[in-house]
Amino acid sequence: MAAEDPDLVIFLGDYIYEGSVDPAKAQGLARRHQTPDPVDLTGYRLRYAAYHTDPDLQAVHAAAPCLMTWDDHEVENDYADQWSEHPSTDPAAFLLRRAAAYRAYWEHMPLRWRSLPKGPNARVYDRFRFGDLAEVSILDGRQYRSMEACPRPDWRGGHVVTAECTERDDPRRTMLGFEQERWLTDGFRHASARWNLVAQDLLVAAAHQKDAKTGEIGHWTDAWDGYPACRTRVLKAVADSRLSNPVFLGGDIHSFWTTDLKADFDDPSSATVATEFVGTSITSDGPDYDLFMSTMPMNPHVKFFDSRVRGYVSCDLRPDRLETAFRTISDRADPNATVSTLKRFVVESGRAGATEA
């Protein structure tokens, strides 16, 4: 990434992982954590310090300005607002851990002063303007969200739910929190840049998925699929405001995706409201490729998916087009790994949806 001499780098969450692995089981991992799971400020500071010893990561930060948002692993896997993934964890105790995690994040990331945490609260959503070419809205998909739908007695984190989970569709549920939703949609109405990028931590598109254990088809509760009413509100605001060239950028799912964001995901013929690109992980394993591919016929708005490779997304933004390259590395554990391009896509100005280049 640094060798590409980028003008801007956007990190979309899971900058660190809070989970530690027994060294005896860490063979093949690109990063082996030498300290226990962080739960306090000292622990999180040590975790960031360890990551920042990586000379390639240092080079990226030195090469270009960086825009930042978080996902879950900067605190704890699959957390939602004040709720841990573990039902036995008291929300008050979890907020103490979140306060420590947010403080360490602010100390180690290139953030504005106004993002300085106040206890367990910190504002990282923000908007950045690059002349008349582009406006980038950075979202926070963790701090303000409703609890994951239909939690299990022993698990609040992400899982596949079927249509029986009617709570998932409740319009009172939100991924962003209603204050951030209003901030985002107000920005759509007043936007004047040619391109409008929405950078956030997750897969936005609807995606029928298969439960690896039961084989049931449903939707994943920890992504936007767990909050479809919020997604509908946001995409409706994009359409109603006639936002110029909306492109959503996401992460989290350890795989490359190119999707059409539809006005109605149940109707493949409905209007494409925006374009979405999701980047794969740089070091972490991807999800089961064959399992996901088995459901792709049910997701016709997905134009490309691949979870077998590690890498990043490289974008070339010009007034008339956005060119996106899915860049892959040959070996995540080799400092001398080679880089290649898996796929290229183009979004033409004035036309939502990507075409393969």
Side-chain angles (χ1 to χ4, degrees):
M1 292 172 66
E4 290 193 28
D5 191 22
D7 296 307
L8 178 71
V9 176
I10 306 178
F11 286 92
L12 298 177
D14 295 344
Y15 188 100
I16 64 166
Y17 273 77
E18 87 293 357
S20 301
V21 178
D22 183 336
K25 302 177 182 178
Q27 297 300 317
L29 295 182
R31 301 192 188 280
R32 304 181 188 183
H33 301 142
Q34 303 299 315
T35 56
D37 290 11
V39 294
D40 57 17
L41 184 55
T42 297
Y44 283 105
R45 283 170 170 167
L46 287 171
R47 188 55 54 94
Y48 281 102
Y51 276 69
H52 282 174
T53 63
D54 183 335
D56 293 323
L57 183 56
Q58 294 174 12
V60 167
H61 278 292
C66 301
L67 301 183
M68 315 295 303
T69 191
W70 49 40
D71 190 33
D72 52 343
H73 289 289
E74 287 86 354
V75 182
E76 180 198 73
N77 179 63
D78 285 7
Y79 84 93
D81 191 359
Q82 63 184 317
W83 298 286
S84 164
E85 64 178 347
H86 304 292
S88 60
T89 300
D90 178 68
F94 178 76
L95 286 177
L96 290 175
R97 180 179 184 181
R98 195 179 90 176
Y102 282 8
R103 175 72 194 202
Y105 185 85
W106 185 84
E107 290 177 351
H108 290 83
M109 297 295 105
L111 294 169
R112 288 174 167 173
W113 178 258
R114 73 179 183 185
S115 295
L116 175 67
K118 297 177 177 63
N121 306 306
R123 175 172 167 170
V124 295
Y125 67 87
D126 210 340
R127 187 173 287 118
F128 299 85
R129 180 70 179 259
F130 298 88
D132 62 359
L133 178 64
E135 190 167 87
V136 182
S137 297
I138 304 287
L139 304 187
D140 178 350
R142 284 290 162 185
Q143 185 175 182
Y144 314 108
R145 62 160 64 186
S146 306
M147 186 190 297
E148 277 88 344
C150 301
R152 297 169 178 168
D154 61 343
W155 178 253
R156 285 202 191 109
H159 56 290
V160 173
V161 295
T162 66
E164 294 179 359
C165 177
T166 57
E167 178 188 353
R168 188 179 73 94
D169 297 306
D170 190 332
R172 295 170 295 180
R173 291 171 42 75
T174 174
M175 166 76 78
L176 303 176
F178 290 104
E179 181 178 341
Q180 186 181 189
E181 275 193 46
R182 286 191 295 271
W183 168 87
L184 179 63
T185 56
D186 284 347
F188 292 162
R189 287 192 291 271
H190 296 99
S192 58
R194 181 180 293 270
W195 292 86
N196 289 275
L197 310 182
V198 180
Q200 48 80 55
D201 50 329
L202 297 156
L203 175 71
V204 175
H208 289 90
Q209 295 188 35
K210 182 182 293 185
D211 187 294
K213 295 180 179 179
T214 66
E216 289 184 318
I217 300 295
H219 294 277
W220 184 251
T221 60
D222 192 58
W224 283 85
D225 253 356
Y227 306 82
C230 179
R231 176 175 58 205
T232 297
R233 291 191 295 266
V234 169
L235 293 181
K236 185 177 187 299
V238 170
D240 289 349
S241 65
R242 298 185 179 181
L243 187 65
S244 176
N245 295 319
V247 177
F248 285 69
L249 306 174
D252 173 69
I253 198 168
H254 302 193
S255 42
F256 284 123
W257 296 69
T258 299
T259 79
D260 288 341
L261 297 181
K262 293 287 188 176
D264 181 358
F265 284 104
D266 293 326
D267 178 8
S269 65
S270 70
T272 297
V273 173
T275 310
E276 178 181 33
F277 296 108
V278 175
T280 192
S281 48
I282 292 177
T283 56
S284 301
D285 288 338
D288 189 313
Y289 175 78
D290 292 330
L291 186 69
F292 270 78
M293 287 301 294
S294 69
T295 60
M296 284 304 154
M298 304 174 65
N299 300 308
H301 52 277
V302 176
K303 294 188 172 182
F304 181 76
F305 162 80
D306 200 319
S307 62
R308 298 169 295 182
V309 288
R310 314 278 64 81
Y312 58 95
V313 178
S314 180
C315 297
D316 183 7
L317 183 58
R318 301 173 183 272
D320 63 333
R321 58 198 275 133
L322 168 65
E323 297 184 12
T324 297
F326 289 165
R327 303 281 277 164
T328 62
I329 51 176
S330 58
D331 184 348
R332 60 186 170 180
D334 181 2
N336 298 310
T338 58
V339 63
S340 59
T341 298
L342 178 66
K343 286 284 184 179
R344 292 184 185 273
F345 291 91
V346 172
V347 182
E348 301 287 351
S349 179
R351 181 182 302 173
T355 57
E356 188 172 340

